[in-house]
Amino acid sequence: MAGVPAPRTLRSKRSLNLRFDIPISKTSRFWDALSEGKFVTTKCGDCGRTSFPPQPDCPNCMSGNAEWVELGTDAELLTFTHVLITPTSFVGHDPYLVAIGRVKGGINILAWVEGGDPLKLKPGDKLRVESRKDAQGGLYYVFVPA
């Protein structure tokens, strides 16, 4: 609206550190397997839907009858993006690659790519899922070119 002043805002150059405590008791098997270099997820024992990330309750039929299935660590690159201007939450990271890869069973997953050259990567390239630990000891997974 014309003549209405913009709302005042507060700007700060201070860092903001956030901590999230996410309960993992029902999906701890995923993290245990990841620590052993395995990549698993849940499949509904009633309707058969495979979910990633692992879900204790099926998002399709709401059943709590989850079974654990191995996805393997082989993946195929579907698409990726090269992030050159990092968001504030990743200010400590160099530019990075984020990709969507397809693993066994047609499951698409999102992960950072380590060691990939954005000028040489192309859809269809073979990737491998590997586990990593951050500075605080937390587990995560990445893609690496196979």
Side-chain angles (χ1 to χ4, degrees), residues 23-36:
I24 62 166
S25 61
K26 292 185 178 181
T27 58
S28 62
R29 189 160 172 188
F30 170 79
W31 301 104
D32 294 342
L34 192 60
S35 72
E36 297 170 2

Side-chain angles (χ1 to χ4, degrees), residues 11-75:
R11 299 186 191 270
S12 174
K13 293 186 180 190
R14 294 176 283 172
S15 294
L16 175 63
N17 294 315
L18 300 175
R19 178 187 163 127
F20 295 95
D21 290 323
I22 302 170
I24 62 166
S25 61
K26 292 185 178 181
T27 58
S28 62
R29 189 160 172 188
F30 170 79
W31 301 104
D32 294 342
L34 192 60
S35 72
E36 297 170 2
K38 297 176 185 171
F39 203 59
V40 300
T41 196
T42 51
K43 179 177 182 178
C44 179
D46 291 335
C47 75
R49 179 176 176 164
T50 302
S51 299
F52 189 85
Q55 303 292 319
D57 299 311
C58 178
N60 186 53
C61 72
M62 304 312 215
S63 167
N65 186 17
E67 302 170 355
W68 288 93
V69 294
E70 180 103 24
L71 291 173
T73 57
D74 296 329

Side-chain angles (χ1 to χ4, degrees), residues 4 21 23 28 37 45 56 59 65 71 86-87 96 100 112 115 121 127 129 132:
V4 176
D21 290 323
S28 62
N65 186 17
L71 291 173
T86 58
Y96 55 90
I100 297 174
W112 285 25
L121 281 176
L127 303 170
V129 179
R132 299 285 186 266

Side-chain angles (χ1 to χ4, degrees), residues 52-53 76 78 99-110 143:
F52 189 85
E76 176 185 349
L78 298 179
I100 297 174
R102 180 166 291 152
V103 295
K104 181 176 151 187
I107 302 294
N108 298 340
I109 62 169
L110 177 73
F143 288 127

Side-chain angles (χ1 to χ4, degrees), residues 64-130:
N65 186 17
E67 302 170 355
W68 288 93
V69 294
E70 180 103 24
L71 291 173
T73 57
D74 296 329
E76 176 185 349
L77 177 65
L78 298 179
T79 189
F80 73 94
T81 188
H82 188 196
V83 180
L84 297 171
I85 300 173
T86 58
T88 305
S89 57
F90 295 118
V91 74
H93 299 275
D94 291 322
Y96 55 90
L97 296 171
V98 177
I100 297 174
R102 180 166 291 152
V103 295
K104 181 176 151 187
I107 302 294
N108 298 340
I109 62 169
L110 177 73
W112 285 25
V113 179
E114 283 187 357
D117 181 342
L119 299 176
K120 293 181 181 175
L121 281 176
K122 61 189 179 312
D125 283 354
K126 299 301 176 198
L127 303 170
R128 191 174 56 252
V129 179
E130 293 185 358

